[in-house]
Amino acid sequence: MTVRKHIHPPGASCHDACCLRVTNLGVTAGGADILTGVDLHMHCGQIVAVIGPNGAGKSTLFKAILGQLPHTGTIEFEQAGGKRTRPLVGYVPQSPAFDRGDPVSVLDFFAAAISRRPVFLPTGKALRRKVTSCLERVHGGELIDKRMGALSGGELQRVLLAMALEPLPHVLILDEPLSGVDITGEHQLLEMLDEVRTNFDLSILLSTHDFATLEQFADKVILLRHTVLRAGKPAEVLTSPEFQEVFHLKVSAGGERP
Ligand code: ADP
Ligand code: MG
């Protein structure tokens, strides 16, 4: 797999490019601090992987960025030129809710999902053209009449990815997209994400437990356990004392477990 790493131009400030900046984020639920003092910074075109044990707050961080959870601190999207807004976020949840026995087609599932969003919803032939063009962003135009329940794991991920890209977001979040996908599907998905970030210049934030592929695809890794314990290039985080302490694992610079 050859994955091009997006390089933020050296010396470029955030005023020359766009970025997502999370500052001093805190989330409390049920009287407990789930996240405290979380800082995160990612440029458009970057892929950032969040790692951490179960219960570390990865999904909570994503839901806060999505605007689904009350939080303290700030979450800002900065466009080239310095204008700041709340980011438009595309989201592929950890376990999407649909019934595999349900005869719903990709077209119908897609149409129902985008009709809940504040975008113009066409009908009939125009709807079909619209869904086809969305699926073509992930080379999935031929999937339109398949039953959702009949899709392979990799095809389902592509349909969910196409849905998360409509309307085109500033930031794409995928919660454990590699879980339950076989090695071939995993490589295809990572290549698709690399293509998507290049074509649409968006940043991708994903959580994963697969440390072996981090060096190939991630520009940056964030080790989270209620706060950011370490952030940096994959090799730096994987060989850090914080990583060893959290996972009780030694990982060599190549990303492989010894
Ligand atoms: P991860 O995705 O890293 O496994 P989560 O973000 O799902 O972690 O959960 C982080 C912690 O927050 C867990 O201890 C979980 O039990 C707790 N938690 C998540 N949602 C709520 C909630 N609505 N109320 C109380 N505790 C919650
Ligand atoms: Mg989670």
Side-chain angles (χ1 to χ4, degrees):
M1 179 173 58
T2 51
V3 175
R4 182 191 64 78
K5 292 205 178 176
H6 182 92
I7 310 284
H8 187 66
S13 74
C14 286
H15 295 288
D16 303 320
C18 50
C19 69
L20 172 76
R21 198 186 286 277
V22 173
T23 311
N24 200 20
L25 181 84
V27 176
T28 308
D33 287 338
I34 297 177
L35 294 174
T36 45
V38 172
D39 293 330
L40 188 158
H41 184 194
M42 60 196 286
H43 296 292
C44 287
Q46 280 193 327
I47 298 184
V48 175
V50 180
I51 61 171
N54 288 329
K58 302 180 294 296
S59 299
T60 302
L61 169 66
F62 294 167
K63 283 178 192 152
I65 295 174
L66 278 159
Q68 293 178 355
L69 281 180
H71 61 82
T72 54
T74 56
I75 298 169
E76 287 177 319
F77 180 74
E78 194 171 324
Q79 281 161 328
K83 189 178 165 224
R84 290 175 184 204
T85 54
R86 187 154 188 114
L88 183 60
V89 186
Y91 178 50
V92 178
Q94 195 164 348
S95 15
F98 76 91
D99 180 354
R100 280 211 169 252
D102 195 331
V104 68
S105 70
V106 170
L107 174 64
D108 293 339
F109 190 77
F110 213 110
I114 61 178
S115 70
R116 288 197 299 270
R117 298 181 190 173
V119 289
F120 167 68
L121 182 69
T123 54
K125 280 188 181 158
L127 172 66
R128 194 176 171 85
R129 274 199 303 275
K130 169 87 186 161
V131 174
T132 303
S133 75
C134 290
L135 288 167
E136 279 168 356
R137 285 180 178 150
V138 297
H139 310 299
E142 78 291 351
L143 301 175
I144 192 163
D145 293 316
K146 281 206 169 185
R147 254 190 339 103
M148 283 298 288
L151 297 178
S152 71
E155 288 171 338
L156 176 61
Q157 282 293 333
R158 270 195 285 161
V159 169
L160 297 173
L161 183 58
M163 281 171 48
L165 290 173
E166 181 54 34
L168 267 182
H170 299 123
V171 179
L172 177 65
I173 290 182
L174 302 102
D175 202 349
E176 297 197 22
L178 305 177
S179 300
V181 177
D182 65 20
I183 189 87
T184 312
E186 189 172 314
H187 282 196
Q188 283 169 350
L189 185 61
L190 290 173
E191 276 174 10
M192 181 64 70
L193 293 179
D194 185 49
E195 190 181 319
V196 159
R197 57 96 166 249
T198 306
N199 288 349
F200 305 114
D201 202 27
L202 40 80
S203 30
I204 298 179
L205 187 60
L206 57 83
S207 56
T208 181
H209 291 288
D210 184 352
F211 307 136
T213 51
L214 283 175
E215 280 203 81
Q216 288 167 286
F217 77 84
D219 298 292
K220 189 171 181 178
V221 174
I222 291 178
L223 173 60
L224 186 81
R225 192 174 59 189
H226 307 301
T227 192
V228 176
L229 298 180
R230 186 97 189 198
K233 295 206 178 307
E236 187 187 324
V237 175
L238 291 171
T239 54
S240 68
E242 292 85 354
F243 179 87
Q244 236 187 84
E245 194 240 305
V246 170
F247 290 107
H248 310 289
L249 275 181
K250 251 201 159 112
V251 173
S252 70
E256 300 295 333
R257 294 178 197 186

